[in-house]
Amino acid sequence: QVVAFVRPGLKPGERRWLYIMVPSALVSFAVGAAFGYLVLIPPAIRFLLSFDIAVPLIGISDYINLVVMLMFWMGLIFELPLVMFLMARTGVVKPRWFAKQRKWAFLLAFLLGAIITPTADPVNQALVAGPIIVMYELGLWLSRLAEWMRARKKAAPAASQPTG
């Protein structure tokens, strides 16, 4: 519905980007959600059930809440490269800025890993932080591609102008 509403107001080149970015965003979110379901959920559940002190009584609503939360956050995390690409493509941020912020991105990745995971063990935290770091690095590469595309687009009209 949003695409159908926005599409008439876009130029042909902008429509082309819309047709590329919307499916890419959906696929990225789906891959992130699948990663959360297939990679993060099993060790998290195993850790939560590993306490021998008491018998765990996990309700179905608690389980569904955990699964949906992890899938949602991982889906959003897998959108990071597209967001970074769009920011660089529109000229809001330069790739050099992303590269300078790498150490903060790593720190934030582990902080988000601690917040997102329901467990206190470092394995699950690292399982969340790892993809954030990989997505940040992928986004850095895509932002460099976007900057190259912007530079190429600016140079193309100037090259086609007759000199004289």
Side-chain angles (χ1 to χ4, degrees):
Q1 292 294 329
V2 172
V3 171
F5 178 76
V6 172
R7 192 175 60 83
L10 299 176
K11 296 176 187 172
E14 294 168 340
R15 284 188 195 144
R16 181 174 51 102
W17 279 106
L18 182 72
Y19 295 142
I20 293 170
M21 295 308 284
V22 170
S24 299
L26 291 173
V27 168
S28 295
F29 189 89
V31 169
F35 178 86
Y37 186 76
L38 298 172
V39 177
L40 290 180
I41 301 275
I45 296 297
R46 207 172 309 115
F47 178 81
L48 290 172
L49 296 176
S50 68
F51 297 108
D52 293 332
I53 298 169
V55 176
L57 297 173
I58 299 174
I60 190 72
S61 64
D62 295 330
Y63 177 78
I64 290 174
N65 189 25
L66 171 71
V67 170
V68 169
M69 181 192 69
L70 282 176
M71 289 175 65
F72 172 75
W73 284 112
M74 291 312 294
L76 281 183
I77 287 167
F78 274 61
E79 298 285 330
L80 182 63
L82 292 176
V83 171
M84 291 171 70
F85 175 81
L86 286 175
M87 290 174 73
R89 181 78 172 114
T90 57
V92 174
V93 177
K94 299 273 185 198
R96 287 184 301 272
W97 186 84
F98 286 132
K100 286 180 184 177
Q101 305 307 318
R102 183 180 278 131
K103 63 183 172 189
W104 294 107
F106 283 31
L107 178 67
L108 185 62
F110 280 94
L111 183 65
L112 283 173
I115 292 170
I116 292 172
T117 55
T119 62
D121 68 312
V123 172
N124 283 316
Q125 181 183 3
L127 283 174
V128 173
I132 295 173
I133 293 168
V134 170
M135 292 297 117
Y136 189 83
E137 291 297 323
L138 180 61
L140 181 59
W141 281 97
L142 286 176
S143 68
R144 288 178 179 149
L145 173 67
E147 186 178 51
W148 176 78
M149 291 169 69
R150 279 177 50 90
R152 194 172 136 216
K153 184 178 179 183
K154 284 181 182 178
S160 64
Q161 301 269 340
T163 57

